[in-house]
mmCIF file of all heavy atoms in Angstrom:
data_model
loop_
_atom_site.group_PDB
_atom_site.id
_atom_site.type_symbol
_atom_site.label_atom_id
_atom_site.label_comp_id
_atom_site.label_asym_id
_atom_site.label_seq_id
_atom_site.Cartn_x
_atom_site.Cartn_y
_atom_site.Cartn_z
ATOM 1 N N ILE A 12 20.238 35.593 -36.446
ATOM 2 C CA ILE A 12 19.034 34.774 -36.679
ATOM 3 C C ILE A 12 18.599 34.925 -38.136
ATOM 4 O O ILE A 12 18.405 36.055 -38.619
ATOM 5 C CB ILE A 12 17.866 35.225 -35.756
ATOM 6 C CG1 ILE A 12 18.282 35.103 -34.290
ATOM 7 C CG2 ILE A 12 16.594 34.416 -36.019
ATOM 8 C CD1 ILE A 12 17.346 35.820 -33.346
ATOM 9 N N GLU A 14 15.917 35.121 -40.535
ATOM 10 C CA GLU A 14 14.467 35.347 -40.417
ATOM 11 C C GLU A 14 13.711 34.777 -41.615
ATOM 12 O O GLU A 14 12.681 34.132 -41.468
ATOM 13 C CB GLU A 14 14.161 36.848 -40.312
ATOM 14 C CG GLU A 14 14.806 37.551 -39.128
ATOM 15 C CD GLU A 14 14.139 37.229 -37.797
ATOM 16 O OE1 GLU A 14 13.132 36.512 -37.794
ATOM 17 O OE2 GLU A 14 14.655 37.678 -36.754
ATOM 18 N N THR A 18 16.876 37.533 -45.222
ATOM 19 C CA THR A 18 16.873 38.522 -44.126
ATOM 20 C C THR A 18 17.460 37.925 -42.852
ATOM 21 O O THR A 18 17.052 36.828 -42.451
ATOM 22 C CB THR A 18 15.421 38.986 -43.830
ATOM 23 O OG1 THR A 18 14.846 39.465 -45.044
ATOM 24 C CG2 THR A 18 15.373 40.081 -42.794
ATOM 25 N N VAL A 19 18.386 38.660 -42.235
ATOM 26 C CA VAL A 19 18.916 38.209 -40.934
ATOM 27 C C VAL A 19 18.699 39.278 -39.868
ATOM 28 O O VAL A 19 18.672 40.469 -40.168
ATOM 29 C CB VAL A 19 20.438 37.919 -40.948
ATOM 30 C CG1 VAL A 19 20.768 36.670 -41.719
ATOM 31 C CG2 VAL A 19 21.247 39.102 -41.423
ATOM 32 N N THR A 20 18.566 38.796 -38.632
ATOM 33 C CA THR A 20 18.588 39.702 -37.487
ATOM 34 C C THR A 20 19.940 39.544 -36.803
ATOM 35 O O THR A 20 20.392 38.421 -36.565
ATOM 36 C CB THR A 20 17.451 39.364 -36.497
ATOM 37 O OG1 THR A 20 16.214 39.707 -37.114
ATOM 38 C CG2 THR A 20 17.575 40.155 -35.193
ATOM 39 N N LEU A 21 20.580 40.688 -36.530
ATOM 40 C CA LEU A 21 21.839 40.690 -35.773
ATOM 41 C C LEU A 21 21.545 41.346 -34.438
ATOM 42 O O LEU A 21 21.092 42.498 -34.398
ATOM 43 C CB LEU A 21 22.912 41.519 -36.495
ATOM 44 C CG LEU A 21 23.162 41.223 -37.974
ATOM 45 C CD1 LEU A 21 24.167 42.211 -38.547
ATOM 46 C CD2 LEU A 21 23.674 39.794 -38.136
ATOM 47 N N TYR A 55 20.373 51.148 -40.025
ATOM 48 C CA TYR A 55 19.394 50.064 -39.827
ATOM 49 C C TYR A 55 18.568 50.367 -38.581
ATOM 50 O O TYR A 55 19.112 50.643 -37.506
ATOM 51 C CB TYR A 55 20.108 48.702 -39.719
ATOM 52 C CG TYR A 55 20.744 48.344 -41.045
ATOM 53 C CD1 TYR A 55 22.095 48.586 -41.277
ATOM 54 C CD2 TYR A 55 19.978 47.835 -42.090
ATOM 55 C CE1 TYR A 55 22.666 48.329 -42.525
ATOM 56 C CE2 TYR A 55 20.530 47.574 -43.334
ATOM 57 C CZ TYR A 55 21.868 47.822 -43.547
ATOM 58 O OH TYR A 55 22.414 47.577 -44.783
ATOM 59 N N SER A 56 17.252 50.299 -38.750
ATOM 60 C CA SER A 56 16.347 50.560 -37.623
ATOM 61 C C SER A 56 16.431 49.410 -36.635
ATOM 62 O O SER A 56 16.573 48.252 -37.044
ATOM 63 C CB SER A 56 14.902 50.651 -38.117
ATOM 64 O OG SER A 56 14.809 51.593 -39.142
ATOM 65 N N MET A 57 16.269 49.716 -35.373
ATOM 66 C CA MET A 57 16.232 48.651 -34.375
ATOM 67 C C MET A 57 14.935 47.868 -34.539
ATOM 68 O O MET A 57 13.845 48.462 -34.593
ATOM 69 C CB MET A 57 16.271 49.241 -32.968
ATOM 70 C CG MET A 57 17.625 49.200 -32.332
ATOM 71 S SD MET A 57 18.791 50.345 -33.080
ATOM 72 C CE MET A 57 18.185 51.885 -32.435
ATOM 73 N N SER A 58 15.051 46.535 -34.600
ATOM 74 C CA SER A 58 13.845 45.696 -34.592
ATOM 75 C C SER A 58 13.563 45.240 -33.156
ATOM 76 O O SER A 58 12.507 44.686 -32.869
ATOM 77 C CB SER A 58 14.020 44.490 -35.516
ATOM 78 O OG SER A 58 15.235 43.827 -35.229
ATOM 79 N N SER A 59 14.514 45.467 -32.283
ATOM 80 C CA SER A 59 14.304 45.178 -30.861
ATOM 81 C C SER A 59 13.541 46.335 -30.227
ATOM 82 O O SER A 59 13.465 47.426 -30.797
ATOM 83 C CB SER A 59 15.657 45.027 -30.160
ATOM 84 O OG SER A 59 16.442 46.180 -30.396
ATOM 85 N N ALA A 68 18.921 44.991 -31.413
ATOM 86 C CA ALA A 68 18.970 44.166 -32.626
ATOM 87 C C ALA A 68 18.539 44.945 -33.856
ATOM 88 O O ALA A 68 17.685 45.838 -33.775
ATOM 89 C CB ALA A 68 18.074 42.940 -32.455
ATOM 90 N N VAL A 69 19.150 44.606 -34.984
ATOM 91 C CA VAL A 69 18.695 45.151 -36.278
ATOM 92 C C VAL A 69 18.397 43.972 -37.195
ATOM 93 O O VAL A 69 18.923 42.869 -36.992
ATOM 94 C CB VAL A 69 19.760 46.058 -36.946
ATOM 95 C CG1 VAL A 69 20.001 47.303 -36.129
ATOM 96 C CG2 VAL A 69 21.070 45.306 -37.205
ATOM 97 N N THR A 70 17.554 44.219 -38.182
ATOM 98 C CA THR A 70 17.169 43.159 -39.100
ATOM 99 C C THR A 70 17.414 43.662 -40.513
ATOM 100 O O THR A 70 16.905 44.722 -40.901
ATOM 101 C CB THR A 70 15.690 42.789 -38.884
ATOM 102 O OG1 THR A 70 15.569 42.364 -37.519
ATOM 103 C CG2 THR A 70 15.236 41.683 -39.812
ATOM 104 N N VAL A 71 18.229 42.919 -41.271
ATOM 105 C CA VAL A 71 18.727 43.420 -42.560
ATOM 106 C C VAL A 71 18.259 42.518 -43.696
ATOM 107 O O VAL A 71 18.523 41.318 -43.697
ATOM 108 C CB VAL A 71 20.278 43.449 -42.536
ATOM 109 C CG1 VAL A 71 20.823 44.005 -43.848
ATOM 110 C CG2 VAL A 71 20.780 44.249 -41.344
ATOM 111 N N LYS A 72 17.570 43.142 -44.648
ATOM 112 C CA LYS A 72 17.092 42.386 -45.812
ATOM 113 C C LYS A 72 18.017 42.664 -46.997
ATOM 114 O O LYS A 72 18.383 43.819 -47.245
ATOM 115 C CB LYS A 72 15.656 42.833 -46.133
ATOM 116 C CG LYS A 72 15.073 42.125 -47.317
ATOM 117 C CD LYS A 72 13.587 42.383 -47.439
ATOM 118 C CE LYS A 72 13.087 41.712 -48.716
ATOM 119 N NZ LYS A 72 11.685 41.584 -48.808
ATOM 120 N N SER A 121 11.112 45.054 -45.589
ATOM 121 C CA SER A 121 11.995 45.367 -44.450
ATOM 122 C C SER A 121 11.481 46.553 -43.636
ATOM 123 O O SER A 121 11.989 46.820 -42.542
ATOM 124 C CB SER A 121 13.411 45.648 -44.951
ATOM 125 O OG SER A 121 13.390 46.730 -45.858
ATOM 126 N N ILE A 123 9.140 46.665 -41.864
ATOM 127 C CA ILE A 123 8.576 46.171 -40.610
ATOM 128 C C ILE A 123 9.504 46.463 -39.411
ATOM 129 O O ILE A 123 9.046 46.512 -38.270
ATOM 130 C CB ILE A 123 8.318 44.636 -40.695
ATOM 131 C CG1 ILE A 123 7.558 44.091 -39.485
ATOM 132 C CG2 ILE A 123 9.594 43.867 -40.876
ATOM 133 C CD1 ILE A 123 6.178 44.568 -39.343
ATOM 134 N N THR A 124 10.796 46.659 -39.649
ATOM 135 C CA THR A 124 11.757 46.691 -38.524
ATOM 136 C C THR A 124 11.437 47.758 -37.463
ATOM 137 O O THR A 124 11.296 47.405 -36.287
ATOM 138 C CB THR A 124 13.219 46.811 -39.019
ATOM 139 O OG1 THR A 124 13.299 47.941 -39.855
ATOM 140 C CG2 THR A 124 13.662 45.570 -39.748
ATOM 141 N N ILE A 127 7.897 46.863 -35.714
ATOM 142 C CA ILE A 127 7.770 45.810 -34.699
ATOM 143 C C ILE A 127 8.330 46.323 -33.367
ATOM 144 O O ILE A 127 7.816 45.987 -32.293
ATOM 145 C CB ILE A 127 8.406 44.472 -35.139
ATOM 146 C CG1 ILE A 127 7.929 43.366 -34.190
ATOM 147 C CG2 ILE A 127 9.915 44.534 -35.196
ATOM 148 C CD1 ILE A 127 8.212 41.956 -34.646
ATOM 149 N N ILE A 155 8.578 38.794 -42.816
ATOM 150 C CA ILE A 155 9.603 38.841 -41.752
ATOM 151 C C ILE A 155 8.867 38.875 -40.399
ATOM 152 O O ILE A 155 7.833 39.537 -40.268
ATOM 153 C CB ILE A 155 10.504 40.092 -41.921
ATOM 154 C CG1 ILE A 155 11.106 40.134 -43.328
ATOM 155 C CG2 ILE A 155 11.610 40.124 -40.861
ATOM 156 C CD1 ILE A 155 11.832 41.432 -43.652
ATOM 157 N N PHE A 156 9.384 38.161 -39.429
ATOM 158 C CA PHE A 156 8.816 38.081 -38.059
ATOM 159 C C PHE A 156 7.427 37.431 -38.038
ATOM 160 O O PHE A 156 6.610 37.743 -37.156
ATOM 161 C CB PHE A 156 8.709 39.468 -37.402
ATOM 162 C CG PHE A 156 9.988 40.231 -37.347
ATOM 163 C CD1 PHE A 156 10.071 41.525 -37.856
ATOM 164 C CD2 PHE A 156 11.123 39.674 -36.793
ATOM 165 C CE1 PHE A 156 11.253 42.231 -37.803
ATOM 166 C CE2 PHE A 156 12.320 40.381 -36.750
ATOM 167 C CZ PHE A 156 12.376 41.661 -37.257
ATOM 168 N N PHE A 243 13.557 54.381 -46.124
ATOM 169 C CA PHE A 243 14.835 53.676 -46.235
ATOM 170 C C PHE A 243 15.575 54.093 -47.502
ATOM 171 O O PHE A 243 16.767 53.891 -47.630
ATOM 172 C CB PHE A 243 14.612 52.159 -46.274
ATOM 173 C CG PHE A 243 14.222 51.559 -44.930
ATOM 174 C CD1 PHE A 243 13.954 50.197 -44.819
ATOM 175 C CD2 PHE A 243 14.146 52.328 -43.783
ATOM 176 C CE1 PHE A 243 13.612 49.632 -43.599
ATOM 177 C CE2 PHE A 243 13.802 51.769 -42.552
ATOM 178 C CZ PHE A 243 13.535 50.415 -42.468
#
Side-chain angles (χ1 to χ4, degrees):
I12 301 166
E14 301 286 356
T18 305
V19 289
T20 291
L21 309 175
Y55 293 98
S56 306
M57 260 71 74
S58 50
S59 55
V69 294
T70 301
V71 182
K72 180 169 176 165
S121 59
I123 188 66
T124 55
I127 194 167
I155 306 171
F156 304 126
F243 287 178

